[in-house]
Amino acid sequence: MIEFFFDCSSPWTYLAFHNIQPLARELGAEIVWRPILVGGIFNTVNPSVYAQREMPVPLKARYMKKDLQDWARSADLSIKMPPTVFPVNSVKAMRGCIWLGQDMVAFATAVFEAYWGGDKDISQDAVLAGICKTVGIDEQKFFAGIAEQGIKDQLKANTEEVVVRGGFGSPTIFVDKTDMYFGNDRLPLIREALLRRKASAA
């Protein structure tokens, strides 16, 4: 089993979200999608992210943009970095993922594409309403659902859980509960971990 803790506000998570699905299908692994708020993680255990944004190392920042575009090209995705609104408040979108449960994939995909591919501000109700229409979700039910206290509490609980389990950003990925990986570039290692488990179970 793969647990995928994610926030749609991260470009590296967009890549990993896209890339892990065919990997899981190929190896017969179930993905449990776990929406979080990465800002909550940064505030709790990784505030250095904010310092890096305020005082970036120019050479490193320049390379990071190239690296991101190289990975995007490899995945056949379009990513604008930075988007016009960055960082973005993704709380409503991530609550929407919680509300949709395991049916969230089409919605989350559309949110990623709207923000990273379409440069749309996913914090805005009008943008989220458009995404709902695109993927066939009743927008009135959507906005009522994400306002429910239980949905808000679950998003907070997921965020707190990943920190307790050792996570410090998005995406944080677990194989069989305890084997943690961070980032899109760890997918080859996740493949190896899944193959080892298949071999040992044979």
Side-chain angles (χ1 to χ4, degrees), residues 12-13 15-17 19-20 71 171 173 182-188:
W12 301 106
T13 306
L15 291 163
F17 182 90
N19 289 330
I20 202 167
W71 279 106
I173 305 161
F182 174 69
N184 172 71
D185 56 350
R186 299 311 192 274
L187 292 188

Side-chain angles (χ1 to χ4, degrees), residues 5 36 41-42 44-46 159-174 180-182:
F5 288 85
I36 57 171
I41 295 176
F42 295 159
T44 305
V45 294
N46 194 8
T159 304
E160 292 173 347
E161 178 186 338
V162 74
V163 170
V164 168
R165 291 171 65 181
F168 50 85
S170 174
T172 298
I173 305 161
F174 290 91
M180 189 182 93
Y181 298 87
F182 174 69

Side-chain angles (χ1 to χ4, degrees), residues 38-147:
V38 75
I41 295 176
F42 295 159
N43 292 339
T44 305
V45 294
N46 194 8
S48 65
V49 170
Y50 301 128
Q52 290 170 9
R53 286 178 184 168
E54 290 175 9
M55 297 185 64
V57 177
L59 292 176
K60 186 177 180 181
R62 187 171 68 191
Y63 177 75
M64 191 207 77
K65 286 186 178 181
K66 176 195 180 296
D67 194 32
L68 185 62
Q69 294 307 323
D70 287 344
W71 279 106
R73 187 182 308 108
S74 176
D76 197 25
L77 295 174
S78 175
I79 295 180
K80 180 187 177 186
M81 184 66 190
T84 302
V85 177
F86 182 79
V88 71
N89 184 338
S90 61
V91 65
K92 290 182 179 179
M94 302 319 297
R95 286 175 183 166
C97 290
I98 294 280
W99 178 70
L100 287 162
Q102 284 299 104
D103 296 326
M104 74 180 75
V105 173
F107 173 77
T109 300
V111 171
F112 275 122
E113 290 175 350
Y115 185 51
W116 292 108
D119 196 22
K120 295 179 180 176
D121 182 357
I122 57 169
S123 70
Q124 300 301 308
D125 286 356
V127 172
L128 292 173
I131 290 170
C132 286
K133 288 178 183 175
T134 298
V135 297
I137 297 168
D138 184 307
E139 62 186 272
Q140 289 186 327
K141 290 181 180 178
F142 174 86
F143 286 109
I146 65 172

Side-chain angles (χ1 to χ4, degrees), residues 98 147-155:
I98 294 280
E148 294 174 5
Q149 190 60 46
I151 298 299
K152 297 177 182 179
D153 291 346
Q154 186 60 57
L155 183 59

